[in-house]
């Protein structure tokens, strides 16, 4: 699902004005739940790594929501996940309180437990792993395997008991974050094999397989390769892309050279099947995964997405980025400048500026003019009404200072958090 998170900031890398703006939005959300809370939570997920002070405010807000029992709130999930992944000292007491609740704090708490190694949580997780509710027991046991406290035997026993609805939820809530984490112990392999055997959706199958191959299980790659070669002809192209994605994940995990880009020409239907989201959503995540790998066969789809000017949607902006960066389309760079500086859709200006930054790599002599334009736009966006714009502005400024900005800025992870409010 994209590169790892930016290194955690131990010193303050977030401008005071931006931090105060985020804190004001958090306070307002606690007083009255806004319709755009998911977007606010996603923006916080993206920038919390830059600011210990902002993480302190986020921890206080999470504590308030825990006392209220508001475990369905986006800010609650954002707080637990951000603090746990950051190894923040607030994380353990908050997570302990969450795990003591009837539903073990929900998927966000069980997922967050995978990232913390504090032994204080061990008795709680062991108790939840003995629950009669199989999905809660599975989530707790998964955390115990991730923390090195279990050999995975119970996990494999629980896997056949997981209902389809819970398996779908687990793919997004529990397993997607683990793709970004350090590799799990190989003990997770048998349980994931059971879940893959029951999974009919190719995109979710891929999520489960990526966690497995990171843990050292080569079985998913072998299975995808066999289906690409000998499976039904209508599905061979899809399985060849799955096999490539798994090989790429292994190479990234081991620091090895990436495999050659796949030759299969993608279609919208094929790309949609390879997303962890429902195929009906027509999610283009896998298309841009191929584009990041500089796969030549995706160019026709990118050109189709960026055909309408001025650029006015997320897919067109992302397509323009790769056309400018990898395919010599200077007109697409100009289109990104136009979208960032004077686009009709104010809520896309920050994303356009981030795309402009990524499409214009620094040269030996310094930062290109397009990057300077991206920074200038970022300076303007600190006062934007859109928290997505503010988040992109913060990340651009951090990258310009050589700080903890994620590179590339417009990664799949940050895009999902900031633009869509998907908090996994």
């Amino acid at each position: 699902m994209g590169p790892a998170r930016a290194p955690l900031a131990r010193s303050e890398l977030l401008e005071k004005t931006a931090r105060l703006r985020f804190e004001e939005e958090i306070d307002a959300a606690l007083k009255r739940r806004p319709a755009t809370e998911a977007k606010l939570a996603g923006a916080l997920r993206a920038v919390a790594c830059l600011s210990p002070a902002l993480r302190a405010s986020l921890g206080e807000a999470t504590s308030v929501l825990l006392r209220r029992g508001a475990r369905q709130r986006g800010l609650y999930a954002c707080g637990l996940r951000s603090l746990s992944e950051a190894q923040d000292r607030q994380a353990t007491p908050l997570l302990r309180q969450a795990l003591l609740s009837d539903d073990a704090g929900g998927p966000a708490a069980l997922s967050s437990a995978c990232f913390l190694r504090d032994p204080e949580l061990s008795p709680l997780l062991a108790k939840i792993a003995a629950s009669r509710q199989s999905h809660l027991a599975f989530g707790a046991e998964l955390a115990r395997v991730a923390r090195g406290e279990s050999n995975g035997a119970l996990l494999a026993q629980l896997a056949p008991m997981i209902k389809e609805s819970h398996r779908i939820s687990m793919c997004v809530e529990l397993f997607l974050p683990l793709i970004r984490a350090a590799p799990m112990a190989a003990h997770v392999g048998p349980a994931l094999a059971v879940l893959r055997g029951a999974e009919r959706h190719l995109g979710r199958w891929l999520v489960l397989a990526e966690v497995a191959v990171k843990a050292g299980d080569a079985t998913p790659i072998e299975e995808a390769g066999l289906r690409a070669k000998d499976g039904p002809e209508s599905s061979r192209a899809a399985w060849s892309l799955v096999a490539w994605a798994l090989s790429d994940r292994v190479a990234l995990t081991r620091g090895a050279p990436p495999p050659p880009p796949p030759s299969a020409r993608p279609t919208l239907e094929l790309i949609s099947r390879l997303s962890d989201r429902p195929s009906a959503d027509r999610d283009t995540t896998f298309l841009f995964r191929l584009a990041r790998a500089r796969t030549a066969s995706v160019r026709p789809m990118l050109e189709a997405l960026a055909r309408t000017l001025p650029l006015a949607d997320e897919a067109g902006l992302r397509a323009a980025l790769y056309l400018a960066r990898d395919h010599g389309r200077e007109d697409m760079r100009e289109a990104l400048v136009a979208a960032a500086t004077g686009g009709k859709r104010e809520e896309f200006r920050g994303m356009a500026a981030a795309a402009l930054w990524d499409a214009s790599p620094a040269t030996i002599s310094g930062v290109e003019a397009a990057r300077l334009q991206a920074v200038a736009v970022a300076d303007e966006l600190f006062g934007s009404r859109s928290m997505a714009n503010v988040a992109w502005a913060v990340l651009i400024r951090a990258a310009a200072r050589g700080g903890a900005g994620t590179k590339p800025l417009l990664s799949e992870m940050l895009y999902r958090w900031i633009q869509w409010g998907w908090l996994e």
Side-chain angles (χ1 to χ4, degrees), residues 228-404:
K229 181 180 179 181
D230 300 324
E233 189 170 350
S234 60
S235 65
R236 289 180 186 178
W239 282 107
S240 70
L241 291 176
V242 168
W244 166 80
L246 294 176
S247 298
D248 186 59
R249 180 61 62 188
V250 171
L252 185 62
T253 302
R254 297 176 179 174
S263 58
R265 182 170 177 174
T267 63
L268 181 57
E269 179 183 359
L270 182 55
I271 291 299
S272 300
R273 290 177 60 200
L274 291 168
S275 168
D276 57 273
R277 297 282 160 171
S279 299
D281 288 357
R282 291 293 190 259
D283 178 40
T284 54
T285 291
F286 201 89
L287 171 66
F288 294 108
R289 182 173 188 167
L290 292 168
R292 285 194 299 277
R294 291 177 164 82
T295 305
S297 60
V298 303
R299 182 169 181 172
M301 281 194 70
L302 296 178
E303 290 179 334
L305 290 173
R307 181 176 297 137
T308 302
L309 297 177
L311 299 169
D313 60 37
E314 288 105 333
L317 291 170
R318 300 176 82 193
L321 185 171
Y322 294 107
L323 288 170
R325 191 194 73 176
D326 302 328
H327 300 283
R329 291 286 301 273
E330 285 301 316
D331 59 320
M332 290 291 100
R333 200 185 314 273
E334 294 169 3
L336 288 173
V337 171
T341 57
K344 295 181 179 180
R345 301 286 297 274
E346 170 69 17
E347 66 270 26
F348 292 152
R349 289 185 64 201
M351 181 181 168
L356 181 60
W357 176 276
D358 286 348
S360 310
T363 62
I364 296 175
S365 60
V367 178
E368 291 187 356
R371 283 200 162 182
L372 293 177
Q373 286 179 297
V375 174
V377 171
D379 292 341
E380 295 177 13
L381 292 178
F382 277 107
S384 174
R385 295 179 61 184
S386 166
M387 294 309 297
N389 282 343
V390 178
W392 289 120
V394 166
L395 294 171
I396 292 168
R397 288 283 295 271
R401 291 196 306 269

Side-chain angles (χ1 to χ4, degrees), residues 1-70:
M1 283 305 307
R5 291 203 64 174
L8 179 67
R10 299 298 176 185
S11 58
E12 197 68 33
L13 295 176
L14 184 61
E15 289 89 345
K16 184 177 181 180
T17 53
R19 176 171 59 81
L20 292 176
R21 171 71 185 282
F22 278 110
E23 290 174 344
E24 289 172 0
E25 294 289 337
I26 292 172
D27 290 340
L30 290 176
K31 293 174 183 176
R32 184 174 183 179
R33 183 176 183 174
T36 57
E37 181 172 321
K39 293 287 189 71
L40 170 61
L44 287 164
R45 282 282 273 150
V47 305
C49 61
L50 302 175
S51 172
L54 182 59
R55 291 198 296 274
S57 298
L58 190 54
E60 293 173 5
T62 306
S63 179
V64 170
L65 293 172
L66 271 170
R67 289 198 300 271
R68 295 177 182 174

